[in-house]
Amino acid sequence: MTNISNYILPVFLLIIIGFGLYKRIDVFAVFIDGAKRGFDVFLSILPSLTALFLAVQMLKTSQGIDIITKVLSPIANFLKIPVETLPMCILSPISGGGSLSIYESIISECGPDSYVGRVASVMMGSTETTFYAIAVYFGSVGIKKIRHTAICSLCADFTSFILAGLFVRLLFY
Amino acid sequence: MMNYIWAVIIIFSVVSSLLNGTSNALSTGIITSGNTAVDLCLTLLGTFCLWNGLMNVAEKSGITKIISKIMSPVICRLFKGIDKDSPALEPICLNITSNLLGLSNAATPIGIEAMKRLSNNNTNKTSPSNDMVLFVVMNSAALRIIPSTVAGIRASHNSANPLEIVLPSILVSFCALSVGIIMTKLTERFF
């Protein structure tokens, strides 16, 4: 079953190119024409990603996460979020790579089939990097005001963190 | 908003490095962060070219039209500024499809194309339209059929059943996505 995900990408490509040929399109020329736009995207998101990565690196290297974890532990306990997953939850809205490496260490310490391991897996499987999305998408169109985006996205993330434990308890225990 | 979030993270980091005695590591972190951003963007450059190319093929062949025909009843209801003939409809549908399939490398460049087309409809160039906010919120709450990265890590740590988390992940992300959409709709008039 894990292998299924390995077939998604090739089949996706097969459908796009196959359908293009079927419609008698010069797939090669059309592909190259579209690929040129990749450069504009690259240039338009670089500034906002630089800003994001500065903040992420500073938060990681200063070990500020430890301080936030300590402060938020009682709240996590109250909401039945396993404290082990807290650093991952805090980092996941700003850094996909950072939260993934914490996730890996949780899995190797607690085991993938433990309660904490399962909750962490569901959390990782149900969230995206909120501020990365904000930086990339708004950066690409040169918008600096984000209105209610961050609040609403963080509400969605928060929902995932609370519900992950609940659904794991309902389905497995 | 981003203004304050960004500044608070930076100030908080400096203060906590003083408390934790990690100012040395912090300095290194600051210097390398620029390189990390460029490295990532360079890695993504190829991905962007690849998916913009494929997106162009998919669009010219009309396959995106088929996908968007299927999804448009839902999408047009969520995005108030979008109708069946909007140029942004096709990339939005393709972005959601690639998110569902777990092709996040594809979803980003296709989503950027959608943002560009949504921004053409936006009269205010400094502040995003309701549709643009909703689109980003939907992209930051990930609804996908198979969380392949997580399943892969679980498998590499000898899980008895790496994919047992698929069902709860889908349920949880569906709830999170719903909360995100509802919150966006409720709060859009206040911002």
Side-chain angles (χ1 to χ4, degrees), chain B:
Chain B
M1 186 78 172
M2 249 344 232
N3 186 14
Y4 294 118
I5 297 172
W6 193 64
V8 164
I9 293 179
I10 288 179
I11 294 166
F12 174 79
S13 302
V14 174
V15 173
S16 41
S17 83
L18 294 176
L19 293 173
N20 289 335
T22 49
S23 48
N24 203 358
L26 179 67
S27 307
T28 322
I30 294 171
I31 295 164
T32 52
S33 72
N35 303 353
T36 323
V38 175
D39 283 348
L40 180 76
C41 274
L42 272 179
T43 322
L44 289 177
L45 174 59
T47 322
F48 286 152
C49 291
L50 171 72
W51 285 104
N52 273 305
L54 284 173
M55 162 90 187
N56 208 23
V57 175
E59 221 170 0
K60 293 267 153 62
S61 72
I63 198 167
T64 51
K65 202 154 261 161
I66 299 173
I67 297 173
S68 53
K69 204 162 258 173
I70 301 168
M71 297 173 73
S72 66
V74 181
I75 301 302
C76 293
R77 206 150 287 168
L78 286 173
F79 293 86
K80 292 295 173 207
I82 297 279
D83 57 40
K84 278 185 182 131
D85 304 312
S86 300
L89 177 65
E90 290 183 16
I92 288 178
C93 293
L94 208 55
N95 165 270
I96 293 172
T97 312
S98 11
N99 271 328
L100 280 173
L101 295 173
L103 304 171
S104 47
N105 277 337
T108 309
I110 295 168
I112 288 172
E113 186 61 32
M115 277 300 270
K116 285 191 172 146
R117 295 186 191 181
L118 282 172
S119 118
N120 288 339
N121 279 350
N122 187 18
T123 40
N124 187 340
K125 290 294 165 202
T126 54
S127 171
S129 64
N130 289 341
D131 285 348
M132 293 166 84
V133 172
L134 180 63
F135 182 72
V136 176
V137 171
M138 284 175 71
N139 265 282
S140 65
L143 186 59
R144 47 177 111 75
I145 298 165
I146 299 176
S148 42
T149 315
V150 170
I153 291 175
R154 288 173 58 83
S156 72
H157 285 89
N158 306 320
S159 167
N161 183 359
L163 286 168
E164 67 182 5
I165 48 92
V166 168
L167 179 64
S169 295
I170 292 175
L171 293 173
V172 168
S173 53
F174 186 76
C175 295
L177 181 66
S178 311
V179 168
I181 293 173
I182 293 167
M183 280 296 292
T184 313
K185 292 291 179 192
L186 287 179
T187 55
E188 63 189 17
R189 72 200 70 175
F190 302 116
F191 289 87

Side-chain angles (χ1 to χ4, degrees), chain A residues 1-2 4-5 8-9 12-13 15-17 19-20 23 25 27 30-31 33-35 37-39 41-42 45-46 49-51 53-55 57-59 61-64 67-68 100 103-104 107-108 112-113 118 121-122 124-128 130-132 134 136-138 140-141 143-153 155-157 159-160 163-164 167 171-172, chain B residues 1-2 5-6 9-10 12-14 16-17 20 22 25-26 29-30 32-33 36-37 40-42 44-45 48-54 56-58 60-61 63 66 95 101 103 107-108 111-112 115-116 119 125-130 132-133 136-137 139-140 142 144 147-148 150 153-154 157 159-160 163-165 168-169 171-173 175-176 179 183-184 187-188 191:
Chain A
M1 179 78 174
T2 320
I4 288 181
S5 54
I8 292 177
L9 185 56
F12 198 66
L13 269 171
I15 293 172
I16 292 178
I17 302 296
F19 196 78
K23 286 279 173 179
I25 285 183
V27 282
V30 170
F31 177 91
D33 215 33
R37 280 184 300 213
F39 268 103
V41 175
F42 168 75
I45 66 168
L46 184 57
L49 275 188
T50 313
F53 272 70
L54 176 64
Q57 284 284 66
M58 286 182 73
L59 193 59
T61 49
S62 68
Q63 293 170 15
I67 296 177
I68 307 177
L100 199 64
Y103 169 68
E104 271 212 273
I107 290 297
S108 63
D113 299 327
R118 281 169 169 160
S121 303
V122 174
M124 276 309 279
S126 61
T127 48
E128 270 292 342
T130 295
F131 284 100
Y132 175 76
I134 291 176
V136 167
Y137 287 126
F138 286 131
S140 71
V141 288
I143 280 182
K144 282 161 198 90
K145 283 196 184 121
I146 60 166
R147 295 178 63 207
H148 48 308
T149 316
I151 293 171
C152 297
S153 301
C155 279
D157 288 340
T159 310
S160 292
L163 291 184
F167 276 94
L171 290 167
F172 297 113
Chain B
M1 186 78 172
M2 249 344 232
I5 297 172
W6 193 64
I9 293 179
I10 288 179
F12 174 79
S13 302
V14 174
S16 41
S17 83
N20 289 335
T22 49
L26 179 67
I30 294 171
T32 52
S33 72
T36 323
L40 180 76
C41 274
L42 272 179
L44 289 177
L45 174 59
F48 286 152
C49 291
L50 171 72
W51 285 104
N52 273 305
L54 284 173
N56 208 23
V57 175
K60 293 267 153 62
S61 72
I63 198 167
I66 299 173
N95 165 270
L101 295 173
L103 304 171
T108 309
I112 288 172
M115 277 300 270
K116 285 191 172 146
S119 118
K125 290 294 165 202
T126 54
S127 171
S129 64
N130 289 341
M132 293 166 84
V133 172
V136 176
V137 171
N139 265 282
S140 65
R144 47 177 111 75
S148 42
V150 170
I153 291 175
R154 288 173 58 83
H157 285 89
S159 167
L163 286 168
E164 67 182 5
I165 48 92
S169 295
L171 293 173
V172 168
S173 53
C175 295
V179 168
M183 280 296 292
T184 313
T187 55
E188 63 189 17
F191 289 87

